[in-house]
Amino acid sequence: DTAVSQTPKYLVTQMGNDKSIKCEQNLGHDTMYWYKQDSKKFLKIMFSYNNKELIINETVPNRFSPKSPDKAHLNLHINSLELGDSAVYFCASSQGTIGNTIYFGEGSWLTVV
Amino acid sequence: AQRVTQPEKLLSVFKGAPVELKCNYSYSGSPELFWYVQYSRQRLQLLLRHISRESIKGFTADLNKGETSFHLKKPFAQEEDSAMYYCALKETSGSRLTFGEGTQLTVNP
């Protein structure tokens, strides 16, 4: 299937731990994103990479570090997890940065206890 | 800075009734607008984009630049339309999607 896929889908972890969420797209897109959906279902962009280069970096704590080893992958590493990090994290991709549809992954449900 | 407002967090209608989900935006340039739908615990899926002017699953949306609105409409709601709907704006010069807060639509039998 052609898609944006992310792993894990569900993650429960303790405060203070470090965790990663992986994202891969096989759509041939050159731009990838991380969005966060909070408990109130509000969606906000966190990061965007175009051809492995960071192009959008919203006001996100530096405990969050994206890494793009190639243009088909964009991973999100989170250090020292806090309760407030509990959310659904969506990976997305598009071809180019202008004028093209953004496709989303299924989301990764992170719960910090 | 761009902003998208969906004034209704919750909207409940009966099956067969018309439904309108409101979306207003503010953006200094010429916007590109989208509606995304999220069924329970699933990914966000693109429902409509204003430049394609198509009807998907019976939904339509017209961009009204005078009123800065992009309301989503369906003449006869179905139970399977129950979902979270997000209006989103994309700046013409970049890739950032700005979402509204979402409207949870419930279609009752």
Side-chain angles (χ1 to χ4, degrees):
Chain A
D1 282 346
T2 54
V4 180
S5 56
Q6 26 182 137
T7 56
K9 185 163 184 177
Y10 300 101
L11 181 57
V12 180
T13 188
Q14 289 187 325
M15 281 175 57
N17 284 350
D18 303 339
K19 292 293 177 187
S20 292
I21 307 171
K22 296 186 177 180
C23 179
E24 175 182 7
Q25 54 89 8
N26 60 5
L27 298 164
H29 291 165
D30 60 4
T31 305
M32 295 185 72
Y33 313 79
W34 279 108
Y35 280 81
K36 179 180 179 181
Q37 185 179 44
D38 63 23
S39 58
K40 296 181 180 178
K41 305 280 191 180
F42 188 59
L43 268 162
K44 192 168 180 193
I45 192 166
M46 299 173 70
F47 302 103
S48 175
Y49 273 72
N50 175 254
N51 282 316
K52 302 193 298 175
E53 289 197 20
L54 182 66
I55 55 171
I56 295 175
N57 185 358
E58 289 295 289
T59 307
V60 175
N62 57 15
R63 297 183 293 104
F64 290 78
S65 51
K67 283 192 172 51
S68 183
D70 55 61
K71 64 181 186 179
H73 295 84
L74 180 61
N75 303 323
L76 183 65
H77 188 74
I78 315 170
N79 288 326
S80 303
L81 278 155
E82 300 177 357
L83 293 176
D85 297 332
S86 296
V88 185
Y89 293 86
F90 285 98
C91 180
S93 73
S94 66
Q95 179 54 36
T97 57
I98 297 172
N100 287 310
T101 299
I102 296 176
Y103 294 89
F104 286 82
E106 291 188 340
S108 294
W109 271 256
L110 172 65
T111 303
V112 183
V113 297
Chain B
Q2 60 265 34
R3 186 181 174 92
V4 178
T5 305
Q6 293 177 247
E8 301 141 328
K9 282 197 177 352
L10 301 170
L11 184 61
S12 185
V13 300
F14 286 103
K15 178 182 171 181
V19 63
E20 181 180 51
L21 290 87
K22 292 186 167 48
C23 173
N24 289 90
Y25 67 90
S26 63
Y27 180 56
S28 56
S30 186
E32 189 172 356
L33 286 149
F34 303 80
W35 276 100
Y36 279 85
V37 58
Q38 186 180 26
Y39 299 102
S40 180
R41 299 182 79 79
Q42 293 187 26
R43 76 177 74 213
L44 279 141
Q45 302 172 42
L46 179 66
L47 184 63
L48 285 175
R49 52 190 302 191
H50 88 269
I51 59 172
S52 57
R53 300 186 63 82
E54 52 192 344
S55 174
I56 305 291
K57 299 185 179 183
F59 285 96
T60 58
D62 288 317
L63 177 60
N64 185 324
K65 290 187 178 180
E67 295 182 0
T68 60
S69 67
F70 188 56
H71 303 327
L72 183 68
K73 299 177 185 178
K74 185 169 182 176
F76 307 104
Q78 303 299 315
E79 288 180 66
E80 55 265 29
D81 296 329
S82 296
M84 186 71 143
Y85 290 81
Y86 290 95
C87 182
L89 180 152
K90 193 158 175 282
E91 54 197 33
T92 48
S93 59
S95 57
R96 186 194 313 263
L97 258 183
T98 299
F99 286 92
E101 293 189 359
T103 298
Q104 179 69 48
L105 173 66
T106 302
V107 181
N108 300 301

